[in-house]
Amino acid sequence: RPSLIRRLQPHQFMVGITGSMLFPQTEHATPRNNYTLGVNGQVAFGSHLRLFAGLERGWTNFKIEGDALDNFHIPPPPPAPSPADILNYAEVKQPLWDFSLGFRYVFLPEKRLRPFVSAAWLVEHTQEQTLKYEFLNVITEEESYTLVPHNNAEFNLGGLQLGAGMEWNFTGRWMLGLEGIYQRQYETSVPLLAERWGMKLGVTRTF
């Protein structure tokens, strides 16, 4: 019977690409077009346990009603184009980078269809926001907008990601995976991104 150290030696390496749809959990804001694209790597220790790391580029977009800007640390709007214009809503475009490092436990490794669970530390680097303030003229009912950049580049280190999914080994070296994820940022400069659910699809090659 092999020793525990021998059974946990790294013996497989995997690289892949992923794409995700995110569903932020927010009040007084409407999420739009929240998704990520990225790459990841995995190292298998034994039959069940893997160490994984991922790097993803994200694009997030939100619509916020004019009276709820303070709830999300959004700067006040610039002066209205005319006295008859009122702020209708603000649209927030927030690009970001996500880095994850964690472990995945694979059930039924001898099968081609394998369920798994995962847990990871999540680091998020938010980029400069673009704020679009939409104004409505109460007399003519015409709409106008102003674009304002907002420097929001910060590292948020207090994140957690949990996942559960299924991978399908459809050829000897290639796998297709589908995973449901939950992300929580405990220390974030962007309250809009504090809590998210998501679905992740990926293709992985084994070496």
Side-chain angles (χ1 to χ4, degrees):
R1 185 178 181 180
S3 67
L4 178 62
I5 294 178
R6 183 175 179 82
R7 281 184 288 157
L8 292 180
Q9 285 181 339
H11 64 91
Q12 260 185 345
F13 300 89
M14 310 166 198
V15 295
I17 57 174
T18 60
S20 305
M21 288 295 298
L22 300 176
F23 307 96
Q25 305 301 297
T26 61
E27 294 182 1
H28 312 295
T30 304
R32 296 174 165 183
N33 303 325
N34 291 266
Y35 61 94
T36 68
L37 296 174
V39 295
N40 64 37
Q42 301 180 53
V43 181
F45 295 88
S47 300
H48 299 274
L49 189 64
R50 298 179 192 167
L51 173 70
F52 74 88
L55 179 65
E56 297 177 300
R57 174 66 168 175
W59 295 266
T60 63
N61 192 321
F62 299 87
K63 177 182 176 181
I64 305 174
E65 299 301 326
D67 57 355
L69 298 185
D70 290 342
N71 298 335
F72 303 105
H73 301 173
I74 304 301
S82 75
D85 283 282
I86 61 172
L87 180 65
N88 193 13
Y89 64 88
E91 185 176 347
V92 180
K93 294 183 179 180
Q94 176 66 76
L96 54 88
W97 287 96
D98 276 349
F99 173 74
S100 56
L101 179 65
F103 288 96
R104 173 178 292 184
Y105 189 87
V106 180
F107 301 92
L108 306 177
E110 71 282 358
K111 304 293 185 181
R112 298 186 67 180
L113 195 62
R114 310 162 185 154
F116 63 85
V117 293
S118 64
W121 173 46
L122 183 67
V123 175
E124 191 161 81
H125 182 38
T126 53
Q127 307 292 293
E128 183 178 80
Q129 289 178 344
T130 299
L131 305 177
K132 179 181 178 181
Y133 296 96
E134 185 83 20
F135 295 93
L136 176 66
N137 191 292
V138 295
I139 299 175
T140 64
E141 297 187 351
E142 294 182 350
E143 295 181 345
S144 60
Y145 65 87
T146 302
L147 294 176
V148 179
H150 177 218
N151 188 7
N152 194 48
E154 292 190 26
F155 278 98
N156 302 301
L157 305 178
L160 172 68
Q161 177 178 289
L162 302 175
M166 191 79 66
E167 64 181 27
W168 175 41
N169 186 200
F170 60 91
T171 68
R173 292 186 177 270
W174 291 92
M175 294 183 298
L176 182 66
L178 180 65
E179 182 180 13
I181 58 174
Y182 172 76
Q183 296 177 339
R184 177 70 179 179
Q185 290 284 351
Y186 294 98
E187 299 176 5
T188 178
S189 58
V190 185
L192 290 164
L193 302 175
E195 187 176 14
R196 294 167 289 189
W197 294 90
M199 292 297 298
K200 182 177 295 188
L201 181 66
V203 178
T204 303
R205 190 181 191 277
T206 304
F207 294 90

